[in-house]
Amino acid sequence: MNLFQDLLTATFELGYIKYSWTRSSAIIAGRVRPISIRFITVFVKFCPLLLYAQALPAFFDVLAACYAPLHPYLATISILEQILSALAGASVLFFDIYLLVGFARQIRTLDKEMTDVGMAEDSTSRGAIIVRYGVASCCLWICAVVVYAGTTLVQQFSFEWYLISVFIYLLSLGTVVVLYYMKVALHVLDGKERMVFVSYATANTLERECATHSATL
């Protein structure tokens, strides 16, 4: 059961990191140092190794259950599981903080640019949508990581442990919902942009046809 749970957790964390970076990298690329962009790009590429490593202790637990000589190592395996889970959680937390810093700088830059030209910020632009939903998803995931750290303070499989686990899953579900609504908002924006483009192209075509018709008269 623990092996399946750890694999699902790692898969969820990986999906969150990949999707968030795909949507956000272009937005924050000009707001942070280039060397940090390269570092995060490498991290996103190789993070599956770290995330799925937290499932290894659970795999060894299964082996120990089937192979008696491994029983003396169960305590060590348990400590290793906590260390790997902490490293995975810390890496995701670092990634979230990095995105939040980039989003904060983007918001400050947009606000300054709009103030300089005497305009209000367009909250329906692609960048504004990604920043708004990105900040919300990062905050939810940071809360989930912090709450997850609380599981180390209670006895495993106790009532408090299950209660904290349910709260973590609710925060994770909230992150998924926020990212889903971001995707929907971007899809709606794409549809509006296509409609504007088609209308503009149609108006230009009609204008040219009218000019051609007038020239032949």
Side-chain angles (χ1 to χ4, degrees):
M1 182 63 179
N2 281 348
L3 177 60
F4 183 67
Q5 180 179 350
D6 289 343
L7 288 174
L8 285 180
T9 300
T11 302
F12 185 86
E13 290 172 341
L14 177 61
Y16 168 74
I17 290 175
K18 293 285 187 180
Y19 181 81
S20 298
W21 185 242
T22 299
R23 288 296 187 188
S24 308
S25 57
I27 299 295
I28 66 176
R31 310 304 176 193
V32 294
R33 295 180 179 179
I35 189 173
S36 66
I37 288 289
R38 291 193 294 269
F39 176 79
I40 291 297
T41 301
V42 172
F43 166 76
V44 172
K45 183 177 180 179
F46 292 101
C47 68
L49 298 177
L50 176 61
L51 298 179
Y52 283 105
Q54 57 187 322
L56 290 177
F59 175 73
F60 286 122
D61 281 341
V62 175
L63 291 180
C66 302
Y67 189 58
L70 292 178
H71 287 179
Y73 300 99
L74 286 177
T76 303
I77 292 173
S78 178
I79 295 175
L80 181 62
E81 181 179 14
Q82 293 179 3
I83 293 174
L84 291 175
S85 296
L87 287 175
S91 66
V92 178
L93 180 62
F94 166 77
F95 176 78
D96 278 329
I97 293 174
Y98 178 84
L99 289 186
L100 279 177
V101 171
F103 289 146
R105 291 181 178 178
Q106 173 71 4
I107 291 173
R108 187 169 62 248
T109 300
L110 288 177
D111 183 66
K112 183 178 183 303
E113 290 174 351
M114 293 300 175
T115 302
D116 290 342
V117 298
M119 295 176 58
E121 182 180 347
D122 185 6
S123 61
T124 62
S125 67
R126 177 174 297 274
I129 290 173
I130 293 176
V131 169
R132 183 169 65 250
Y133 286 99
V135 169
S137 64
C138 285
C139 290
L140 285 173
W141 193 255
I142 288 175
C143 290
V145 172
V146 172
V147 173
Y148 176 77
T151 58
T152 61
L153 304 177
V154 298
Q155 183 179 358
Q156 194 173 22
F157 305 123
S158 63
F159 173 77
E160 292 80 6
W161 185 87
Y162 282 113
L163 188 63
I164 293 175
S165 298
V166 170
F167 190 46
I168 293 172
Y169 292 140
L170 289 176
L171 290 171
S172 301
L173 178 62
T175 303
V176 173
V177 172
V178 169
L179 293 177
Y180 172 77
Y181 273 104
M182 180 176 72
K183 188 174 183 64
V184 171
L186 291 173
H187 179 73
V188 171
L189 180 62
D190 288 339
K192 291 180 179 179
E193 290 177 347
R194 284 194 296 269
M195 291 179 62
V196 170
F197 176 78
V198 171
S199 299
Y200 181 76
T202 302
N204 282 343
T205 301
L206 291 175
E207 184 178 352
R208 287 195 300 268
E209 290 179 352
C210 290
T212 302
H213 180 70
S214 299
T216 58
L217 293 178

